Amino acid sequence: MTGPAAVRADRDPGLQPERTRLAWRRTTLAYTVASVLAVRTALYGGVSAVGVVLCALGCACWLGFLLVAHRRIRTLSATGTPAAPAPRHLTAAVLCTTALAVCGAALVLQS
């Protein structure tokens, strides 16, 4: 058998799942730091209603991203050859990240 099908059948993922799992962990850590800094910004110099709402939205986004990342990390750790992530999970991760960035920018501008 020759061609792309032969290459695909004999593919050895090597350390790719491990690297991807570590990348998800690093991203989750960076997301956590950004969320903590957003909370700090919201509470710095007094508490306002807008700051509390933005902070709550940012924390909700953090929780959503944490769930998506944890599910992917679990999938990568459980199987030898992990399946591609579901588009809805990737969409959720992108939306959570974008929403946190918007909340963070609004918190900075509000301060």
Side-chain angles (χ1 to χ4, degrees):
M1 189 158 48
T2 60
V7 173
R8 195 139 194 47
D10 298 334
R11 182 177 176 271
D12 178 20
L15 294 176
Q16 181 182 0
E18 178 71 15
R19 287 191 308 267
T20 305
R21 186 179 63 79
L22 290 172
W24 275 101
R25 288 206 185 270
R26 282 191 309 269
T27 304
T28 303
L29 179 63
Y31 208 111
T32 302
V33 169
S35 296
V36 168
L37 290 174
V39 170
R40 181 177 174 257
T41 301
L43 299 177
Y44 182 75
V47 179
S48 68
V50 174
V52 170
V53 169
L54 289 172
C55 186
L57 287 173
C59 288
C61 292
W62 174 75
L63 284 174
F65 184 83
L66 193 64
L67 290 172
V68 170
H70 183 68
R71 173 182 228 133
R72 188 62 187 156
I73 289 169
R74 222 179 25 217
T75 302
L76 289 168
S77 297
T79 61
T81 307
R88 66 183 177 143
H89 293 142
L90 295 178
T91 302
V94 169
L95 289 175
C96 287
T97 303
T98 304
L100 181 68
V102 169
C103 287
L107 276 171
V108 169
L109 292 176
Q110 188 251 342
S111 297

